[in-house]
Amino acid sequence: MIALIQILFKYVYFPSFSVDTALSNFTFAILVFTTLIIAAAGYIMNDIYDVEADKINKPTKVLVSRKISKKQANFLYNIFNSIGLLCGLYVAHTVDKLSFVAIFVITILLLKVYNSDLKKRPIIGNVIVSLLVSMSILIVGVFDIIPMVTEENDINQYYAFRVLIDYAVFAFIFMLLREMVKDAEDVNGDKYMNMKTLPIILGRKRANTVIFALSFFPLIIITFYSFNSFSNVPFVLAYMLIVVLMPLLYFMTKILYAKSKKDYIRASRLLKLIMLLGIFSIVILSLTIYYADR
């Protein structure tokens, strides 16, 4: 999904709005690869720390200690991060912004701290993961738009980056909800690991109420944003209201009464689907504008 979002912005959204970009096809592919391999390293570290919890939460999907050793997993973690940093350094050098490599360094450090400590704490671990997912959207603008800003095109470049920020906020909110749902799904294994996630502290029922209440924020924000931004583009407005908001309302009714592990799995998948459908509005918007200009 991360790669899909980045590709849609690069090859669908940017051309539709005549955005000046810095990355060639090859360098952009390296950027996508860098994002994915660092994210993969984060997943490896997550599996290393969560071995015992995963034996309870998802016993059929445990890899570390069963199919590969912890030593091998740590080796892969270091290799993936090293490759990611080298590739990130190459992309930063290509756009003549070596300081941008700090983004990848910070991402690796945050993933490390998250897996070793922050995921055990309520809310803050969920926020860190959600921020990193939203950063995977913004990073396209950081490397592809910002280096090409000039006095002549700054307004157009700024507008394109602002839309990236809008979608990053969208991704952050839904990822935060999904992480909270996954905490409720994994409560048994997390208890065994002495974690202090929200469902463990409050109980699943109260955590459901918190998630339900927080869901009103994207509901209100997306409704306002859709009417404010797409009122002159009825097809896009209808898409957002029908394809994004209606599933969100359905999710809210389901999470309020979720009890079993299957209920939370379905709710988590529904949020992933809503995120995907929301991201695809980029395509709808870009095609609408393209055909309007013809």
Side-chain angles (χ1 to χ4, degrees), residues 160-195:
F161 197 84
R162 197 192 73 181
V163 172
L164 272 172
I165 293 174
D166 293 338
Y167 277 91
V169 171
F170 171 87
F172 172 82
I173 293 172
F174 279 95
M175 195 65 194
L176 180 61
L177 291 174
R178 185 166 180 264
E179 285 297 306
M180 295 173 72
V181 170
K182 288 177 69 178
D183 280 347
E185 174 190 335
D186 294 339
V187 71
N188 293 328
D190 291 350
K191 278 183 180 178
Y192 179 82
M193 296 292 291
N194 295 316
M195 294 186 183

Side-chain angles (χ1 to χ4, degrees), residues 25 29 34 37 45 72-73 95 157 162 168 179 181 266 272:
N25 291 336
T34 303
I37 200 166
M45 183 54 59
Q72 290 172 321
V95 297
Q157 299 293 97
R162 197 192 73 181
E179 285 297 306
V181 170
R266 293 191 187 103
K272 186 186 287 188

Side-chain angles (χ1 to χ4, degrees), residues 79-97:
I79 288 294
F80 278 29
N81 277 332
S82 298
I83 294 172
L85 281 177
L86 287 174
C87 291
L89 185 63
Y90 170 80
V91 177
H93 172 72
T94 300
V95 297
D96 199 25
K97 300 284 184 180

Side-chain angles (χ1 to χ4, degrees), residues 15-289:
S16 298
F17 287 85
S18 302
V19 178
D20 294 325
T21 56
L23 301 178
S24 66
N25 291 336
F26 175 75
T27 311
F28 175 73
I30 297 297
L31 177 65
V32 174
F33 174 76
T34 303
T35 310
L36 294 181
I37 200 166
I38 290 176
Y43 272 104
I44 292 173
M45 183 54 59
N46 181 74
D47 283 354
I48 292 171
Y49 278 100
D50 281 2
V51 169
E52 298 304 320
D54 288 344
K55 287 178 181 177
I56 299 171
N57 293 329
K58 44 185 180 181
T60 61
K61 296 183 179 180
V62 177
L63 297 177
V64 178
S65 78
R66 288 187 179 175
K67 295 191 176 181
I68 64 171
S69 67
K70 283 191 177 182
K71 185 177 180 180
Q72 290 172 321
N74 275 300
F75 175 76
L76 287 173
Y77 168 78
N78 291 323
I79 288 294
F80 278 29
N81 277 332
S82 298
I83 294 172
L85 281 177
L86 287 174
C87 291
L89 185 63
Y90 170 80
V91 177
H93 172 72
T94 300
V95 297
D96 199 25
K97 300 284 184 180
L98 283 178
S99 60
F100 285 2
V101 78
I103 295 172
F104 302 114
V105 175
I106 293 170
T107 299
I108 290 170
L109 292 175
L110 280 176
L111 284 170
K112 175 70 173 178
V113 175
Y114 163 78
N115 282 303
S116 62
D117 179 53
L118 296 181
K119 69 186 301 179
K120 301 174 183 178
R121 305 174 185 270
I123 304 299
I124 187 168
N126 305 139
V127 169
I128 293 298
V129 172
S130 304
L131 280 173
L132 291 175
V133 170
S134 62
M135 178 53 68
S136 69
I137 297 176
L138 290 178
I139 202 171
V140 179
V142 170
F143 281 91
D144 214 12
I145 295 178
I146 290 178
M148 296 297 290
V149 174
T150 63
E151 291 183 0
E152 290 75 23
N153 69 3
D154 58 347
I155 295 176
N156 194 48
Q157 299 293 97
Y158 163 77
Y159 178 79
F161 197 84
R162 197 192 73 181
V163 172
L164 272 172
I165 293 174
D166 293 338
Y167 277 91
V169 171
F170 171 87
F172 172 82
I173 293 172
F174 279 95
M175 195 65 194
L176 180 61
L177 291 174
R178 185 166 180 264
E179 285 297 306
M180 295 173 72
V181 170
K182 288 177 69 178
D183 280 347
E185 174 190 335
D186 294 339
V187 71
N188 293 328
D190 291 350
K191 278 183 180 178
Y192 179 82
M193 296 292 291
N194 295 316
M195 294 186 183
K196 301 298 180 183
T197 59
L198 197 67
I200 292 175
I201 294 173
L202 300 180
R204 275 179 166 175
K205 189 173 182 180
R206 288 175 180 167
N208 290 352
T209 304
V210 172
I211 296 170
F212 175 80
L214 288 176
S215 299
F216 277 99
F217 285 97
L219 184 69
I220 294 168
I221 291 170
I222 293 172
T223 302
F224 175 79
Y225 182 81
S226 297
F227 279 101
N228 188 55
S229 301
F230 307 132
S231 56
N232 296 326
V233 195
F235 188 74
V236 180
L237 177 61
Y239 178 90
M240 293 298 293
L241 296 178
I242 296 171
V243 180
V244 178
L245 285 182
M246 287 184 67
L248 176 57
L249 287 169
Y250 180 70
F251 162 79
M252 291 172 69
T253 63
K254 288 297 181 181
I255 195 61
L256 194 58
Y257 301 104
K259 293 180 180 179
S260 67
K261 188 177 179 69
K262 286 185 178 180
D263 291 337
Y264 293 107
I265 291 174
R266 293 191 187 103
S268 176
R269 288 174 179 171
L270 182 57
L271 284 174
K272 186 186 287 188
L273 176 63
I274 294 170
M275 287 177 64
L276 185 62
L277 293 173
I279 294 301
F280 264 110
S281 66
I282 302 169
V283 179
I284 306 299
L285 177 62
S286 299
L287 289 176
T288 302
I289 292 172

